[in-house]
mmCIF file with all atom_site columns, all heavy atoms in Angstrom:
data_model
loop_
_atom_site.group_PDB
_atom_site.id
_atom_site.type_symbol
_atom_site.label_atom_id
_atom_site.label_alt_id
_atom_site.label_comp_id
_atom_site.label_asym_id
_atom_site.label_entity_id
_atom_site.label_seq_id
_atom_site.pdbx_PDB_ins_code
_atom_site.Cartn_x
_atom_site.Cartn_y
_atom_site.Cartn_z
_atom_site.occupancy
_atom_site.B_iso_or_equiv
_atom_site.pdbx_formal_charge
_atom_site.auth_seq_id
_atom_site.auth_comp_id
_atom_site.auth_asym_id
_atom_site.auth_atom_id
_atom_site.pdbx_PDB_model_num
ATOM 1   N N   . MET A 1 102 ? 0.592   -25.648 2.256  1.00 98.00 ? 253 MET A N   1
ATOM 2   C CA  . MET A 1 102 ? 0.074   -25.968 0.927  1.00 98.00 ? 253 MET A CA  1
ATOM 3   C C   . MET A 1 102 ? 1.039   -25.578 -0.188 1.00 98.00 ? 253 MET A C   1
ATOM 4   O O   . MET A 1 102 ? 0.869   -26.008 -1.325 1.00 98.00 ? 253 MET A O   1
ATOM 5   C CB  . MET A 1 102 ? -1.261  -25.252 0.710  1.00 98.00 ? 253 MET A CB  1
ATOM 6   C CG  . MET A 1 102 ? -2.343  -25.647 1.698  1.00 98.00 ? 253 MET A CG  1
ATOM 7   S SD  . MET A 1 102 ? -2.751  -27.405 1.642  1.00 98.00 ? 253 MET A SD  1
ATOM 8   C CE  . MET A 1 102 ? -3.468  -27.537 0.010  1.00 98.00 ? 253 MET A CE  1
ATOM 9   N N   . THR A 1 103 ? 2.010   -24.746 0.108  1.00 98.00 ? 254 THR A N   1
ATOM 10  C CA  . THR A 1 103 ? 2.971   -24.312 -0.900 1.00 98.00 ? 254 THR A CA  1
ATOM 11  C C   . THR A 1 103 ? 4.377   -24.456 -0.342 1.00 98.00 ? 254 THR A C   1
ATOM 12  O O   . THR A 1 103 ? 4.570   -24.627 0.868  1.00 98.00 ? 254 THR A O   1
ATOM 13  C CB  . THR A 1 103 ? 2.728   -22.853 -1.315 1.00 98.00 ? 254 THR A CB  1
ATOM 14  O OG1 . THR A 1 103 ? 2.777   -22.017 -0.139 1.00 98.00 ? 254 THR A OG1 1
ATOM 15  C CG2 . THR A 1 103 ? 1.373   -22.688 -1.993 1.00 98.00 ? 254 THR A CG2 1
ATOM 16  N N   . SER A 1 104 ? 5.347   -24.349 -1.235 1.00 97.00 ? 255 SER A N   1
ATOM 17  C CA  . SER A 1 104 ? 6.752   -24.530 -0.829 1.00 97.00 ? 255 SER A CA  1
ATOM 18  C C   . SER A 1 104 ? 7.638   -23.486 -1.493 1.00 97.00 ? 255 SER A C   1
ATOM 19  O O   . SER A 1 104 ? 8.684   -23.804 -2.061 1.00 97.00 ? 255 SER A O   1
ATOM 20  C CB  . SER A 1 104 ? 7.225   -25.939 -1.197 1.00 97.00 ? 255 SER A CB  1
ATOM 21  O OG  . SER A 1 104 ? 6.477   -26.922 -0.520 1.00 97.00 ? 255 SER A OG  1
ATOM 22  N N   . ALA A 1 105 ? 7.221   -22.220 -1.431 1.00 97.00 ? 256 ALA A N   1
ATOM 23  C CA  . ALA A 1 105 ? 8.070   -21.146 -1.944 1.00 97.00 ? 256 ALA A CA  1
ATOM 24  C C   . ALA A 1 105 ? 9.371   -21.134 -1.157 1.00 97.00 ? 256 ALA A C   1
ATOM 25  O O   . ALA A 1 105 ? 9.366   -21.279 0.076  1.00 97.00 ? 256 ALA A O   1
ATOM 26  C CB  . ALA A 1 105 ? 7.358   -19.806 -1.823 1.00 97.00 ? 256 ALA A CB  1
ATOM 27  N N   . THR A 1 106 ? 10.475  -20.942 -1.836 1.00 96.00 ? 257 THR A N   1
ATOM 28  C CA  . THR A 1 106 ? 11.772  -21.022 -1.166 1.00 96.00 ? 257 THR A CA  1
ATOM 29  C C   . THR A 1 106 ? 12.585  -19.740 -1.229 1.00 96.00 ? 257 THR A C   1
ATOM 30  O O   . THR A 1 106 ? 13.499  -19.559 -0.422 1.00 96.00 ? 257 THR A O   1
ATOM 31  C CB  . THR A 1 106 ? 12.618  -22.151 -1.782 1.00 96.00 ? 257 THR A CB  1
ATOM 32  O OG1 . THR A 1 106 ? 12.768  -21.911 -3.196 1.00 96.00 ? 257 THR A OG1 1
ATOM 33  C CG2 . THR A 1 106 ? 11.970  -23.506 -1.556 1.00 96.00 ? 257 THR A CG2 1
ATOM 34  N N   . ASP A 1 107 ? 12.281  -18.858 -2.185 1.00 91.00 ? 258 ASP A N   1
ATOM 35  C CA  . ASP A 1 107 ? 13.127  -17.672 -2.307 1.00 91.00 ? 258 ASP A CA  1
ATOM 36  C C   . ASP A 1 107 ? 12.383  -16.363 -2.071 1.00 91.00 ? 258 ASP A C   1
ATOM 37  O O   . ASP A 1 107 ? 12.957  -15.422 -1.539 1.00 91.00 ? 258 ASP A O   1
ATOM 38  C CB  . ASP A 1 107 ? 13.803  -17.639 -3.681 1.00 91.00 ? 258 ASP A CB  1
ATOM 39  C CG  . ASP A 1 107 ? 12.795  -17.646 -4.822 1.00 91.00 ? 258 ASP A CG  1
ATOM 40  O OD1 . ASP A 1 107 ? 11.625  -17.961 -4.577 1.00 91.00 ? 258 ASP A OD1 1
ATOM 41  O OD2 . ASP A 1 107 ? 13.201  -17.340 -5.965 1.00 91.00 ? 258 ASP A OD2 1
ATOM 42  N N   . ARG A 1 108 ? 11.099  -16.321 -2.433 1.00 95.00 ? 259 ARG A N   1
ATOM 43  C CA  . ARG A 1 108 ? 10.356  -15.067 -2.329 1.00 95.00 ? 259 ARG A CA  1
ATOM 44  C C   . ARG A 1 108 ? 9.031   -15.342 -1.634 1.00 95.00 ? 259 ARG A C   1
ATOM 45  O O   . ARG A 1 108 ? 8.319   -16.289 -1.986 1.00 95.00 ? 259 ARG A O   1
ATOM 46  C CB  . ARG A 1 108 ? 10.117  -14.494 -3.726 1.00 95.00 ? 259 ARG A CB  1
ATOM 47  C CG  . ARG A 1 108 ? 9.645   -13.042 -3.724 1.00 95.00 ? 259 ARG A CG  1
ATOM 48  C CD  . ARG A 1 108 ? 9.829   -12.418 -5.086 1.00 95.00 ? 259 ARG A CD  1
ATOM 49  N NE  . ARG A 1 108 ? 9.393   -11.030 -5.102 1.00 95.00 ? 259 ARG A NE  1
ATOM 50  C CZ  . ARG A 1 108 ? 10.143  -10.009 -4.696 1.00 95.00 ? 259 ARG A CZ  1
ATOM 51  N NH1 . ARG A 1 108 ? 11.358  -10.235 -4.253 1.00 95.00 ? 259 ARG A NH1 1
ATOM 52  N NH2 . ARG A 1 108 ? 9.681   -8.774  -4.735 1.00 95.00 ? 259 ARG A NH2 1
ATOM 53  N N   . PRO A 1 109 ? 8.676   -14.542 -0.623 1.00 97.00 ? 260 PRO A N   1
ATOM 54  C CA  . PRO A 1 109 ? 7.458   -14.832 0.136  1.00 97.00 ? 260 PRO A CA  1
ATOM 55  C C   . PRO A 1 109 ? 6.200   -14.688 -0.697 1.00 97.00 ? 260 PRO A C   1
ATOM 56  O O   . PRO A 1 109 ? 6.117   -13.833 -1.585 1.00 97.00 ? 260 PRO A O   1
ATOM 57  C CB  . PRO A 1 109 ? 7.492   -13.786 1.261  1.00 97.00 ? 260 PRO A CB  1
ATOM 58  C CG  . PRO A 1 109 ? 8.315   -12.666 0.715  1.00 97.00 ? 260 PRO A CG  1
ATOM 59  C CD  . PRO A 1 109 ? 9.356   -13.314 -0.148 1.00 97.00 ? 260 PRO A CD  1
ATOM 60  N N   . ILE A 1 110 ? 5.218   -15.537 -0.429 1.00 97.00 ? 261 ILE A N   1
ATOM 61  C CA  . ILE A 1 110 ? 3.872   -15.349 -0.977 1.00 97.00 ? 261 ILE A CA  1
ATOM 62  C C   . ILE A 1 110 ? 3.186   -14.303 -0.110 1.00 97.00 ? 261 ILE A C   1
ATOM 63  O O   . ILE A 1 110 ? 3.151   -14.421 1.113  1.00 97.00 ? 261 ILE A O   1
ATOM 64  C CB  . ILE A 1 110 ? 3.088   -16.673 -0.969 1.00 97.00 ? 261 ILE A CB  1
ATOM 65  C CG1 . ILE A 1 110 ? 3.755   -17.682 -1.917 1.00 97.00 ? 261 ILE A CG1 1
ATOM 66  C CG2 . ILE A 1 110 ? 1.634   -16.448 -1.372 1.00 97.00 ? 261 ILE A CG2 1
ATOM 67  C CD1 . ILE A 1 110 ? 3.166   -19.070 -1.842 1.00 97.00 ? 261 ILE A CD1 1
ATOM 68  N N   . ARG A 1 111 ? 2.634   -13.273 -0.737 1.00 96.00 ? 262 ARG A N   1
ATOM 69  C CA  . ARG A 1 111 ? 2.084   -12.156 0.041  1.00 96.00 ? 262 ARG A CA  1
ATOM 70  C C   . ARG A 1 111 ? 0.603   -11.906 -0.215 1.00 96.00 ? 262 ARG A C   1
ATOM 71  O O   . ARG A 1 111 ? -0.051  -11.221 0.574  1.00 96.00 ? 262 ARG A O   1
ATOM 72  C CB  . ARG A 1 111 ? 2.885   -10.885 -0.245 1.00 96.00 ? 262 ARG A CB  1
ATOM 73  C CG  . ARG A 1 111 ? 4.334   -10.969 0.222  1.00 96.00 ? 262 ARG A CG  1
ATOM 74  C CD  . ARG A 1 111 ? 5.042   -9.638  0.163  1.00 96.00 ? 262 ARG A CD  1
ATOM 75  N NE  . ARG A 1 111 ? 5.326   -9.241  -1.203 1.00 96.00 ? 262 ARG A NE  1
ATOM 76  C CZ  . ARG A 1 111 ? 5.827   -8.055  -1.546 1.00 96.00 ? 262 ARG A CZ  1
ATOM 77  N NH1 . ARG A 1 111 ? 6.075   -7.148  -0.605 1.00 96.00 ? 262 ARG A NH1 1
ATOM 78  N NH2 . ARG A 1 111 ? 6.073   -7.762  -2.800 1.00 96.00 ? 262 ARG A NH2 1
ATOM 79  N N   . GLN A 1 112 ? 0.059   -12.422 -1.326 1.00 96.00 ? 263 GLN A N   1
ATOM 80  C CA  . GLN A 1 112 ? -1.355  -12.201 -1.630 1.00 96.00 ? 263 GLN A CA  1
ATOM 81  C C   . GLN A 1 112 ? -1.974  -13.496 -2.142 1.00 96.00 ? 263 GLN A C   1
ATOM 82  O O   . GLN A 1 112 ? -1.403  -14.151 -3.018 1.00 96.00 ? 263 GLN A O   1
ATOM 83  C CB  . GLN A 1 112 ? -1.525  -11.109 -2.692 1.00 96.00 ? 263 GLN A CB  1
ATOM 84  C CG  . GLN A 1 112 ? -1.048  -9.730  -2.254 1.00 96.00 ? 263 GLN A CG  1
ATOM 85  C CD  . GLN A 1 112 ? -1.369  -8.676  -3.299 1.00 96.00 ? 263 GLN A CD  1
ATOM 86  O OE1 . GLN A 1 112 ? -2.524  -8.435  -3.632 1.00 96.00 ? 263 GLN A OE1 1
ATOM 87  N NE2 . GLN A 1 112 ? -0.339  -8.040  -3.833 1.00 96.00 ? 263 GLN A NE2 1
ATOM 88  N N   . TYR A 1 113 ? -3.138  -13.838 -1.597 1.00 98.00 ? 264 TYR A N   1
ATOM 89  C CA  . TYR A 1 113 ? -3.829  -15.044 -2.039 1.00 98.00 ? 264 TYR A CA  1
ATOM 90  C C   . TYR A 1 113 ? -5.323  -14.867 -1.836 1.00 98.00 ? 264 TYR A C   1
ATOM 91  O O   . TYR A 1 113 ? -5.777  -13.931 -1.173 1.00 98.00 ? 264 TYR A O   1
ATOM 92  C CB  . TYR A 1 113 ? -3.322  -16.277 -1.268 1.00 98.00 ? 264 TYR A CB  1
ATOM 93  C CG  . TYR A 1 113 ? -3.913  -16.414 0.129  1.00 98.00 ? 264 TYR A CG  1
ATOM 94  C CD1 . TYR A 1 113 ? -5.016  -17.238 0.364  1.00 98.00 ? 264 TYR A CD1 1
ATOM 95  C CD2 . TYR A 1 113 ? -3.388  -15.703 1.213  1.00 98.00 ? 264 TYR A CD2 1
ATOM 96  C CE1 . TYR A 1 113 ? -5.567  -17.364 1.625  1.00 98.00 ? 264 TYR A CE1 1
ATOM 97  C CE2 . TYR A 1 113 ? -3.932  -15.817 2.471  1.00 98.00 ? 264 TYR A CE2 1
ATOM 98  C CZ  . TYR A 1 113 ? -5.028  -16.652 2.681  1.00 98.00 ? 264 TYR A CZ  1
ATOM 99  O OH  . TYR A 1 113 ? -5.588  -16.758 3.933  1.00 98.00 ? 264 TYR A OH  1
ATOM 100 N N   . PHE A 1 114 ? -6.115  -15.802 -2.390 1.00 97.00 ? 265 PHE A N   1
ATOM 101 C CA  . PHE A 1 114 ? -7.560  -15.781 -2.181 1.00 97.00 ? 265 PHE A CA  1
ATOM 102 C C   . PHE A 1 114 ? -8.110  -17.177 -2.411 1.00 97.00 ? 265 PHE A C   1
ATOM 103 O O   . PHE A 1 114 ? -7.456  -18.042 -3.014 1.00 97.00 ? 265 PHE A O   1
ATOM 104 C CB  . PHE A 1 114 ? -8.250  -14.754 -3.087 1.00 97.00 ? 265 PHE A CB  1
ATOM 105 C CG  . PHE A 1 114 ? -8.088  -15.000 -4.564 1.00 97.00 ? 265 PHE A CG  1
ATOM 106 C CD1 . PHE A 1 114 ? -9.110  -15.558 -5.311 1.00 97.00 ? 265 PHE A CD1 1
ATOM 107 C CD2 . PHE A 1 114 ? -6.911  -14.640 -5.221 1.00 97.00 ? 265 PHE A CD2 1
ATOM 108 C CE1 . PHE A 1 114 ? -8.980  -15.769 -6.674 1.00 97.00 ? 265 PHE A CE1 1
ATOM 109 C CE2 . PHE A 1 114 ? -6.773  -14.847 -6.589 1.00 97.00 ? 265 PHE A CE2 1
ATOM 110 C CZ  . PHE A 1 114 ? -7.802  -15.416 -7.314 1.00 97.00 ? 265 PHE A CZ  1
ATOM 111 N N   . TRP A 1 115 ? -9.311  -17.404 -1.919 1.00 98.00 ? 266 TRP A N   1
ATOM 112 C CA  . TRP A 1 115 ? -9.997  -18.675 -2.122 1.00 98.00 ? 266 TRP A CA  1
ATOM 113 C C   . TRP A 1 115 ? -10.724 -18.678 -3.461 1.00 98.00 ? 266 TRP A C   1
ATOM 114 O O   . TRP A 1 115 ? -11.297 -17.662 -3.878 1.00 98.00 ? 266 TRP A O   1
ATOM 115 C CB  . TRP A 1 115 ? -11.022 -18.919 -1.010 1.00 98.00 ? 266 TRP A CB  1
ATOM 116 C CG  . TRP A 1 115 ? -10.416 -19.473 0.236  1.00 98.00 ? 266 TRP A CG  1
ATOM 117 C CD1 . TRP A 1 115 ? -9.982  -18.769 1.328  1.00 98.00 ? 266 TRP A CD1 1
ATOM 118 C CD2 . TRP A 1 115 ? -10.172 -20.851 0.518  1.00 98.00 ? 266 TRP A CD2 1
ATOM 119 N NE1 . TRP A 1 115 ? -9.479  -19.627 2.272  1.00 98.00 ? 266 TRP A NE1 1
ATOM 120 C CE2 . TRP A 1 115 ? -9.586  -20.920 1.808  1.00 98.00 ? 266 TRP A CE2 1
ATOM 121 C CE3 . TRP A 1 115 ? -10.395 -22.035 -0.177 1.00 98.00 ? 266 TRP A CE3 1
ATOM 122 C CZ2 . TRP A 1 115 ? -9.227  -22.119 2.402  1.00 98.00 ? 266 TRP A CZ2 1
ATOM 123 C CZ3 . TRP A 1 115 ? -10.028 -23.239 0.400  1.00 98.00 ? 266 TRP A CZ3 1
ATOM 124 C CH2 . TRP A 1 115 ? -9.450  -23.277 1.682  1.00 98.00 ? 266 TRP A CH2 1
ATOM 125 N N   . SER A 1 116 ? -10.740 -19.823 -4.125 1.00 98.00 ? 267 SER A N   1
ATOM 126 C CA  . SER A 1 116 ? -11.612 -19.973 -5.280 1.00 98.00 ? 267 SER A CA  1
ATOM 127 C C   . SER A 1 116 ? -13.054 -19.936 -4.792 1.00 98.00 ? 267 SER A C   1
ATOM 128 O O   . SER A 1 116 ? -13.345 -20.344 -3.659 1.00 98.00 ? 267 SER A O   1
ATOM 129 C CB  . SER A 1 116 ? -11.334 -21.299 -5.997 1.00 98.00 ? 267 SER A CB  1
ATOM 130 O OG  . SER A 1 116 ? -11.647 -22.400 -5.165 1.00 98.00 ? 267 SER A OG  1
ATOM 131 N N   . PRO A 1 117 ? -13.977 -19.445 -5.598 1.00 97.00 ? 268 PRO A N   1
ATOM 132 C CA  . PRO A 1 117 ? -15.366 -19.351 -5.140 1.00 97.00 ? 268 PRO A CA  1
ATOM 133 C C   . PRO A 1 117 ? -15.967 -20.689 -4.717 1.00 97.00 ? 268 PRO A C   1
ATOM 134 O O   . PRO A 1 117 ? -16.852 -20.725 -3.858 1.00 97.00 ? 268 PRO A O   1
ATOM 135 C CB  . PRO A 1 117 ? -16.097 -18.781 -6.359 1.00 97.00 ? 268 PRO A CB  1
ATOM 136 C CG  . PRO A 1 117 ? -15.051 -18.043 -7.122 1.00 97.00 ? 268 PRO A CG  1
ATOM 137 C CD  . PRO A 1 117 ? -13.795 -18.831 -6.936 1.00 97.00 ? 268 PRO A CD  1
ATOM 138 N N   . ASP A 1 118 ? -15.471 -21.791 -5.302 1.00 97.00 ? 269 ASP A N   1
ATOM 139 C CA  . ASP A 1 118 ? -16.017 -23.102 -4.942 1.00 97.00 ? 269 ASP A CA  1
ATOM 140 C C   . ASP A 1 118 ? -15.326 -23.720 -3.729 1.00 97.00 ? 269 ASP A C   1
ATOM 141 O O   . ASP A 1 118 ? -15.653 -24.846 -3.332 1.00 97.00 ? 269 ASP A O   1
ATOM 142 C CB  . ASP A 1 118 ? -15.953 -24.061 -6.136 1.00 97.00 ? 269 ASP A CB  1
ATOM 143 C CG  . ASP A 1 118 ? -14.520 -24.289 -6.634 1.00 97.00 ? 269 ASP A CG  1
ATOM 144 O OD1 . ASP A 1 118 ? -13.566 -23.881 -5.947 1.00 97.00 ? 269 ASP A OD1 1
ATOM 145 O OD2 . ASP A 1 118 ? -14.369 -24.877 -7.726 1.00 97.00 ? 269 ASP A OD2 1
#
Side-chain angles (χ1 to χ4, degrees):
M253 299 300 294
T254 56
S255 298
T257 57
D258 58 345
R259 194 163 180 83
I261 295 172
R262 295 190 288 173
Q263 296 186 61
Y264 79 97
F265 61 102
W266 278 94
S267 64
D269 60 11

